[in-house]
Short mmCIF file of all heavy atoms in Angstrom, two decimals:
data_model
loop_
_atom_site.label_atom_id
_atom_site.label_comp_id
_atom_site.label_asym_id
_atom_site.label_seq_id
_atom_site.Cartn_x
_atom_site.Cartn_y
_atom_site.Cartn_z
N PRO A 1150 0.80 -1.21 -0.01
CA PRO A 1150 0.01 -0.01 0.00
C PRO A 1150 0.83 1.25 0.01
O PRO A 1150 1.66 1.47 0.90
CB PRO A 1150 -0.82 -0.12 1.31
CG PRO A 1150 -0.73 -1.56 1.69
CD PRO A 1150 0.61 -2.02 1.24
N LEU A 1151 0.69 2.10 -1.01
CA LEU A 1151 1.42 3.35 -1.13
C LEU A 1151 0.65 4.52 -0.62
O LEU A 1151 1.24 5.53 -0.14
CB LEU A 1151 1.81 3.58 -2.59
CG LEU A 1151 2.58 2.44 -3.29
CD1 LEU A 1151 2.71 2.74 -4.77
CD2 LEU A 1151 3.97 2.28 -2.64
N GLU A 1152 -0.67 4.48 -0.72
CA GLU A 1152 -1.50 5.63 -0.34
C GLU A 1152 -2.92 5.10 -0.03
O GLU A 1152 -3.42 4.18 -0.68
CB GLU A 1152 -1.56 6.64 -1.47
CG GLU A 1152 -2.07 8.01 -1.07
CD GLU A 1152 -1.02 8.78 -0.27
OE1 GLU A 1152 0.17 8.67 -0.58
OE2 GLU A 1152 -1.42 9.58 0.65
N LEU A 1153 -3.53 5.66 1.00
CA LEU A 1153 -4.88 5.37 1.34
C LEU A 1153 -5.74 6.59 1.11
O LEU A 1153 -5.57 7.61 1.74
CB LEU A 1153 -5.03 4.88 2.80
CG LEU A 1153 -6.48 4.68 3.33
CD1 LEU A 1153 -7.20 3.62 2.52
CD2 LEU A 1153 -6.45 4.27 4.78
N ILE A 1154 -6.64 6.51 0.12
CA ILE A 1154 -7.53 7.62 -0.22
C ILE A 1154 -8.92 7.36 0.31
O ILE A 1154 -9.52 6.34 0.08
CB ILE A 1154 -7.57 7.82 -1.75
CG1 ILE A 1154 -6.17 8.08 -2.32
CG2 ILE A 1154 -8.50 8.95 -2.16
CD1 ILE A 1154 -6.12 8.10 -3.82
N THR A 1155 -9.42 8.31 1.09
CA THR A 1155 -10.75 8.17 1.68
C THR A 1155 -11.66 9.28 1.17
O THR A 1155 -11.22 10.27 0.60
CB THR A 1155 -10.68 8.24 3.23
OG1 THR A 1155 -10.13 9.50 3.61
CG2 THR A 1155 -9.76 7.14 3.74
N GLY A 1156 -12.91 9.06 1.41
CA GLY A 1156 -13.89 10.04 0.98
C GLY A 1156 -15.26 9.63 1.51
O GLY A 1156 -15.43 8.66 2.20
N SER A 1157 -16.27 10.44 1.19
CA SER A 1157 -17.64 10.19 1.62
C SER A 1157 -18.58 10.41 0.46
O SER A 1157 -18.42 11.38 -0.28
CB SER A 1157 -18.00 11.05 2.82
OG SER A 1157 -19.33 10.84 3.23
N ARG A 1158 -19.58 9.54 0.33
CA ARG A 1158 -20.53 9.69 -0.75
C ARG A 1158 -21.83 9.01 -0.34
O ARG A 1158 -21.84 7.90 0.20
CB ARG A 1158 -19.97 9.04 -2.05
CG ARG A 1158 -20.78 9.33 -3.27
CD ARG A 1158 -20.14 8.76 -4.56
NE ARG A 1158 -21.00 9.00 -5.74
CZ ARG A 1158 -20.96 10.11 -6.44
NH1 ARG A 1158 -20.10 11.06 -6.13
NH2 ARG A 1158 -21.76 10.25 -7.48
N ASP A 1159 -22.96 9.66 -0.64
CA ASP A 1159 -24.27 9.14 -0.24
C ASP A 1159 -24.63 7.89 -1.05
O ASP A 1159 -25.22 6.93 -0.54
CB ASP A 1159 -25.34 10.20 -0.39
CG ASP A 1159 -25.17 11.33 0.60
OD1 ASP A 1159 -24.40 11.15 1.61
OD2 ASP A 1159 -25.75 12.39 0.41
N ALA A 1160 -24.31 7.93 -2.33
CA ALA A 1160 -24.65 6.81 -3.24
C ALA A 1160 -23.54 6.65 -4.27
O ALA A 1160 -22.97 7.64 -4.73
CB ALA A 1160 -25.99 7.05 -3.93
N PRO A 1161 -23.21 5.41 -4.67
CA PRO A 1161 -22.16 5.18 -5.65
C PRO A 1161 -22.55 5.75 -7.00
O PRO A 1161 -23.70 5.73 -7.40
CB PRO A 1161 -22.04 3.66 -5.68
CG PRO A 1161 -22.74 3.15 -4.50
CD PRO A 1161 -23.79 4.15 -4.14
N ASP A 1162 -21.54 6.25 -7.71
CA ASP A 1162 -21.73 6.67 -9.10
C ASP A 1162 -21.85 5.45 -10.00
O ASP A 1162 -21.08 4.49 -9.86
CB ASP A 1162 -20.57 7.56 -9.57
CG ASP A 1162 -20.68 8.00 -11.01
OD1 ASP A 1162 -21.47 8.93 -11.21
OD2 ASP A 1162 -19.99 7.47 -11.88
N LYS A 1163 -22.84 5.45 -10.92
CA LYS A 1163 -23.05 4.25 -11.74
C LYS A 1163 -21.86 3.99 -12.65
O LYS A 1163 -21.60 2.79 -13.01
CB LYS A 1163 -24.31 4.45 -12.57
CG LYS A 1163 -25.60 4.45 -11.74
CD LYS A 1163 -26.80 4.56 -12.62
CE LYS A 1163 -28.09 4.54 -11.79
NZ LYS A 1163 -29.32 4.66 -12.63
N ARG A 1164 -21.11 4.99 -13.06
CA ARG A 1164 -20.05 4.80 -14.05
C ARG A 1164 -18.70 4.50 -13.38
O ARG A 1164 -17.95 3.61 -13.82
CB ARG A 1164 -19.93 6.01 -14.96
CG ARG A 1164 -19.07 5.79 -16.19
CD ARG A 1164 -19.13 7.03 -17.10
NE ARG A 1164 -18.39 8.15 -16.53
CZ ARG A 1164 -17.06 8.32 -16.74
NH1 ARG A 1164 -16.37 7.44 -17.50
NH2 ARG A 1164 -16.46 9.35 -16.21
N LEU A 1165 -18.37 5.20 -12.31
CA LEU A 1165 -17.02 5.12 -11.69
C LEU A 1165 -17.05 4.73 -10.24
O LEU A 1165 -16.01 4.64 -9.61
CB LEU A 1165 -16.27 6.43 -11.88
CG LEU A 1165 -15.98 6.88 -13.31
CD1 LEU A 1165 -15.41 8.29 -13.29
CD2 LEU A 1165 -15.00 5.93 -13.98
N TYR A 1166 -18.21 4.53 -9.64
CA TYR A 1166 -18.42 4.31 -8.25
C TYR A 1166 -18.15 5.61 -7.44
O TYR A 1166 -18.96 6.03 -6.64
CB TYR A 1166 -17.57 3.18 -7.66
CG TYR A 1166 -18.01 2.80 -6.25
CD1 TYR A 1166 -18.98 1.86 -6.08
CD2 TYR A 1166 -17.46 3.40 -5.14
CE1 TYR A 1166 -19.39 1.51 -4.77
CE2 TYR A 1166 -17.87 3.08 -3.84
CZ TYR A 1166 -18.82 2.13 -3.67
OH TYR A 1166 -19.28 1.79 -2.42
N VAL A 1167 -16.98 6.23 -7.67
CA VAL A 1167 -16.67 7.51 -7.04
C VAL A 1167 -17.05 8.65 -8.02
O VAL A 1167 -17.32 8.39 -9.22
CB VAL A 1167 -15.16 7.62 -6.68
CG1 VAL A 1167 -14.83 6.56 -5.65
CG2 VAL A 1167 -14.30 7.42 -7.91
N GLY A 1168 -17.06 9.84 -7.51
CA GLY A 1168 -17.33 10.99 -8.37
C GLY A 1168 -16.15 11.28 -9.30
O GLY A 1168 -15.04 10.78 -9.09
N SER A 1169 -16.37 12.09 -10.30
CA SER A 1169 -15.29 12.37 -11.29
C SER A 1169 -14.15 13.08 -10.62
O SER A 1169 -12.98 12.83 -10.98
CB SER A 1169 -15.87 13.24 -12.42
OG SER A 1169 -16.47 14.44 -11.91
N GLY A 1170 -14.41 13.95 -9.62
CA GLY A 1170 -13.33 14.68 -8.95
C GLY A 1170 -12.43 13.72 -8.16
O GLY A 1170 -11.22 13.81 -8.17
N LYS A 1171 -13.06 12.82 -7.44
CA LYS A 1171 -12.34 11.80 -6.63
C LYS A 1171 -11.57 10.86 -7.56
O LYS A 1171 -10.45 10.49 -7.23
CB LYS A 1171 -13.27 11.02 -5.74
CG LYS A 1171 -12.65 9.99 -4.85
CD LYS A 1171 -11.64 10.62 -3.88
CE LYS A 1171 -12.38 11.48 -2.82
NZ LYS A 1171 -11.45 11.95 -1.76
N ALA A 1172 -12.18 10.51 -8.68
CA ALA A 1172 -11.50 9.65 -9.66
C ALA A 1172 -10.22 10.30 -10.20
O ALA A 1172 -9.15 9.68 -10.36
CB ALA A 1172 -12.43 9.28 -10.82
N GLU A 1173 -10.30 11.62 -10.46
CA GLU A 1173 -9.12 12.36 -10.94
C GLU A 1173 -8.05 12.42 -9.85
O GLU A 1173 -6.86 12.31 -10.13
CB GLU A 1173 -9.50 13.76 -11.36
CG GLU A 1173 -10.38 13.80 -12.63
CD GLU A 1173 -10.82 15.22 -12.99
OE1 GLU A 1173 -10.45 16.15 -12.22
OE2 GLU A 1173 -11.58 15.35 -13.96
N GLU A 1174 -8.46 12.56 -8.57
CA GLU A 1174 -7.52 12.55 -7.48
C GLU A 1174 -6.80 11.21 -7.38
O GLU A 1174 -5.57 11.17 -7.21
CB GLU A 1174 -8.24 12.86 -6.16
CG GLU A 1174 -7.34 12.84 -4.93
CD GLU A 1174 -8.10 12.93 -3.64
OE1 GLU A 1174 -9.33 13.26 -3.67
OE2 GLU A 1174 -7.47 12.71 -2.55
N ILE A 1175 -7.56 10.13 -7.49
CA ILE A 1175 -6.96 8.78 -7.45
C ILE A 1175 -5.96 8.62 -8.63
O ILE A 1175 -4.87 8.10 -8.46
CB ILE A 1175 -8.05 7.69 -7.54
CG1 ILE A 1175 -8.99 7.80 -6.33
CG2 ILE A 1175 -7.43 6.28 -7.60
CD1 ILE A 1175 -10.23 6.90 -6.43
N ASP A 1176 -6.37 9.11 -9.81
CA ASP A 1176 -5.52 8.99 -10.98
C ASP A 1176 -4.20 9.72 -10.80
O ASP A 1176 -3.13 9.24 -11.19
CB ASP A 1176 -6.26 9.53 -12.21
CG ASP A 1176 -5.49 9.29 -13.51
OD1 ASP A 1176 -5.00 8.15 -13.70
OD2 ASP A 1176 -5.37 10.26 -14.29
N GLN A 1177 -4.23 10.90 -10.13
CA GLN A 1177 -3.06 11.67 -9.85
C GLN A 1177 -2.09 10.91 -8.95
O GLN A 1177 -0.88 10.88 -9.16
CB GLN A 1177 -3.40 13.00 -9.27
CG GLN A 1177 -4.07 13.99 -10.22
CD GLN A 1177 -4.52 15.26 -9.55
OE1 GLN A 1177 -4.29 15.46 -8.35
NE2 GLN A 1177 -5.21 16.12 -10.32
N TRP A 1178 -2.65 10.25 -7.91
CA TRP A 1178 -1.82 9.48 -6.99
C TRP A 1178 -1.24 8.26 -7.68
O TRP A 1178 -0.11 7.83 -7.41
CB TRP A 1178 -2.60 9.04 -5.79
CG TRP A 1178 -2.83 10.16 -4.74
CD1 TRP A 1178 -3.95 10.79 -4.45
CD2 TRP A 1178 -1.80 10.76 -3.96
NE1 TRP A 1178 -3.73 11.76 -3.48
CE2 TRP A 1178 -2.41 11.76 -3.16
CE3 TRP A 1178 -0.42 10.55 -3.79
CZ2 TRP A 1178 -1.68 12.52 -2.24
CZ3 TRP A 1178 0.29 11.34 -2.90
CH2 TRP A 1178 -0.35 12.29 -2.14
N VAL A 1179 -2.01 7.64 -8.58
CA VAL A 1179 -1.52 6.51 -9.35
C VAL A 1179 -0.30 6.92 -10.20
O VAL A 1179 0.71 6.22 -10.24
CB VAL A 1179 -2.62 5.92 -10.27
CG1 VAL A 1179 -2.05 4.91 -11.28
CG2 VAL A 1179 -3.72 5.24 -9.43
N LYS A 1180 -0.40 8.04 -10.87
CA LYS A 1180 0.69 8.53 -11.67
C LYS A 1180 1.89 8.95 -10.82
O LYS A 1180 3.04 8.66 -11.17
CB LYS A 1180 0.22 9.71 -12.53
CG LYS A 1180 -0.94 9.41 -13.47
CD LYS A 1180 -0.62 8.38 -14.51
CE LYS A 1180 -1.70 8.27 -15.59
NZ LYS A 1180 -3.01 7.75 -15.01
N HIS A 1181 1.58 9.56 -9.69
CA HIS A 1181 2.64 10.03 -8.82
C HIS A 1181 3.50 8.87 -8.26
O HIS A 1181 4.71 8.94 -8.22
CB HIS A 1181 2.07 10.84 -7.65
CG HIS A 1181 3.06 11.27 -6.63
ND1 HIS A 1181 3.98 12.26 -6.85
CD2 HIS A 1181 3.31 10.80 -5.35
CE1 HIS A 1181 4.75 12.41 -5.77
NE2 HIS A 1181 4.35 11.54 -4.85
N HIS A 1182 2.85 7.82 -7.82
CA HIS A 1182 3.52 6.63 -7.25
C HIS A 1182 3.88 5.59 -8.28
O HIS A 1182 4.53 4.58 -7.90
CB HIS A 1182 2.69 6.03 -6.13
CG HIS A 1182 2.57 6.87 -4.90
ND1 HIS A 1182 3.60 7.09 -4.04
CD2 HIS A 1182 1.48 7.50 -4.35
CE1 HIS A 1182 3.22 7.85 -3.02
NE2 HIS A 1182 1.94 8.10 -3.22
N GLU A 1183 3.44 5.79 -9.51
CA GLU A 1183 3.61 4.73 -10.52
C GLU A 1183 3.02 3.42 -10.04
O GLU A 1183 3.59 2.37 -10.14
CB GLU A 1183 5.09 4.60 -10.92
CG GLU A 1183 5.70 5.85 -11.56
CD GLU A 1183 7.15 5.61 -11.95
OE1 GLU A 1183 7.72 4.58 -11.59
OE2 GLU A 1183 7.70 6.50 -12.64
N ALA A 1184 1.81 3.53 -9.47
CA ALA A 1184 1.16 2.37 -8.89
C ALA A 1184 0.73 1.41 -9.99
O ALA A 1184 0.43 1.81 -11.15
CB ALA A 1184 -0.07 2.79 -8.08
N GLN A 1185 0.68 0.14 -9.67
CA GLN A 1185 0.31 -0.91 -10.59
C GLN A 1185 -1.13 -1.44 -10.33
O GLN A 1185 -1.70 -2.20 -11.10
CB GLN A 1185 1.27 -2.11 -10.48
CG GLN A 1185 2.72 -1.70 -10.72
CD GLN A 1185 3.69 -2.73 -10.14
OE1 GLN A 1185 3.61 -3.13 -8.99
NE2 GLN A 1185 4.56 -3.21 -10.98
N LEU A 1186 -1.68 -1.02 -9.21
CA LEU A 1186 -2.95 -1.60 -8.74
C LEU A 1186 -3.72 -0.57 -7.92
O LEU A 1186 -3.13 0.15 -7.11
CB LEU A 1186 -2.65 -2.85 -7.93
CG LEU A 1186 -3.82 -3.56 -7.22
CD1 LEU A 1186 -4.73 -4.18 -8.25
CD2 LEU A 1186 -3.25 -4.67 -6.28
N VAL A 1187 -5.03 -0.50 -8.13
CA VAL A 1187 -5.90 0.29 -7.27
C VAL A 1187 -6.94 -0.69 -6.67
O VAL A 1187 -7.64 -1.40 -7.37
CB VAL A 1187 -6.64 1.40 -8.05
CG1 VAL A 1187 -7.64 2.13 -7.15
CG2 VAL A 1187 -5.67 2.35 -8.65
N ILE A 1188 -6.98 -0.71 -5.32
CA ILE A 1188 -7.88 -1.61 -4.62
C ILE A 1188 -9.01 -0.81 -3.96
O ILE A 1188 -8.74 0.10 -3.17
CB ILE A 1188 -7.15 -2.41 -3.54
CG1 ILE A 1188 -5.97 -3.16 -4.15
CG2 ILE A 1188 -8.09 -3.43 -2.91
CD1 ILE A 1188 -5.10 -3.92 -3.15
N PHE A 1189 -10.24 -1.17 -4.26
CA PHE A 1189 -11.42 -0.55 -3.65
C PHE A 1189 -11.94 -1.43 -2.52
O PHE A 1189 -12.07 -2.63 -2.68
CB PHE A 1189 -12.52 -0.30 -4.68
CG PHE A 1189 -12.34 0.93 -5.52
CD1 PHE A 1189 -11.37 1.00 -6.50
CD2 PHE A 1189 -13.16 2.03 -5.34
CE1 PHE A 1189 -11.19 2.12 -7.26
CE2 PHE A 1189 -13.00 3.17 -6.09
CZ PHE A 1189 -12.02 3.23 -7.09
N ASP A 1190 -12.28 -0.80 -1.43
CA ASP A 1190 -12.82 -1.52 -0.28
C ASP A 1190 -14.34 -1.68 -0.44
O ASP A 1190 -15.10 -1.54 0.51
CB ASP A 1190 -12.49 -0.81 1.03
CG ASP A 1190 -12.82 -1.68 2.25
OD1 ASP A 1190 -12.85 -2.92 2.14
OD2 ASP A 1190 -12.99 -1.09 3.34
N HIS A 1191 -14.78 -1.92 -1.65
CA HIS A 1191 -16.15 -2.02 -2.00
C HIS A 1191 -16.33 -3.03 -3.15
O HIS A 1191 -15.33 -3.29 -3.86
CB HIS A 1191 -16.75 -0.63 -2.43
CG HIS A 1191 -16.31 0.46 -1.55
ND1 HIS A 1191 -16.89 0.77 -0.31
CD2 HIS A 1191 -15.29 1.39 -1.65
CE1 HIS A 1191 -16.27 1.78 0.23
NE2 HIS A 1191 -15.29 2.17 -0.55
N ASN A 1192 -17.53 -3.48 -3.33
CA ASN A 1192 -17.81 -4.35 -4.48
C ASN A 1192 -18.21 -3.50 -5.66
O ASN A 1192 -19.16 -2.72 -5.61
CB ASN A 1192 -18.92 -5.34 -4.15
CG ASN A 1192 -18.44 -6.40 -3.15
OD1 ASN A 1192 -17.29 -6.78 -3.12
ND2 ASN A 1192 -19.35 -6.80 -2.26
N LEU A 1193 -17.46 -3.62 -6.78
CA LEU A 1193 -17.68 -2.85 -7.98
C LEU A 1193 -18.40 -3.67 -9.03
O LEU A 1193 -18.25 -4.91 -9.08
CB LEU A 1193 -16.36 -2.34 -8.55
CG LEU A 1193 -15.43 -1.52 -7.62
CD1 LEU A 1193 -14.14 -1.20 -8.29
CD2 LEU A 1193 -16.14 -0.27 -7.14
N SER A 1194 -19.17 -3.01 -9.88
CA SER A 1194 -19.78 -3.71 -11.00
C SER A 1194 -18.75 -3.90 -12.09
O SER A 1194 -17.72 -3.21 -12.11
CB SER A 1194 -20.96 -2.88 -11.56
OG SER A 1194 -20.50 -1.71 -12.19
N PRO A 1195 -18.96 -4.83 -12.99
CA PRO A 1195 -17.99 -5.07 -14.08
C PRO A 1195 -17.71 -3.79 -14.87
O PRO A 1195 -16.57 -3.52 -15.26
CB PRO A 1195 -18.66 -6.13 -14.96
CG PRO A 1195 -19.50 -6.91 -13.96
CD PRO A 1195 -20.01 -5.89 -13.02
N SER A 1196 -18.75 -3.03 -15.19
CA SER A 1196 -18.55 -1.80 -15.97
C SER A 1196 -17.78 -0.77 -15.18
O SER A 1196 -16.94 -0.04 -15.76
CB SER A 1196 -19.91 -1.23 -16.42
OG SER A 1196 -20.69 -0.85 -15.29
#
């Protein structure tokens, strides 16, 4: 684990689970750490 990103949301986004802003934040950390994997503490749909 390189970084733990937290947030709050009333309901999951149908497309990304998180909001677009939070998704961009995660993407920045992925690029910063050159991460190979993003793990969600939630069950995601295939899409």
Side-chain angles (χ1 to χ4, degrees):
L1151 304 171
E1152 197 76 34
L1153 174 60
I1154 300 173
T1155 62
S1157 177
R1158 189 176 178 87
D1159 293 343
D1162 180 77
K1163 292 183 178 180
R1164 193 175 73 88
L1165 297 172
Y1166 190 89
V1167 297
S1169 57
K1171 182 62 68 174
E1173 291 176 2
E1174 178 188 348
I1175 298 170
D1176 186 47
Q1177 290 175 3
W1178 283 112
V1179 169
K1180 301 297 191 294
H1181 175 74
H1182 290 291
E1183 297 181 352
Q1185 304 160 308
L1186 175 66
V1187 177
I1188 306 176
F1189 278 72
D1190 192 24
H1191 317 278
N1192 291 325
L1193 305 176
S1194 69
S1196 62

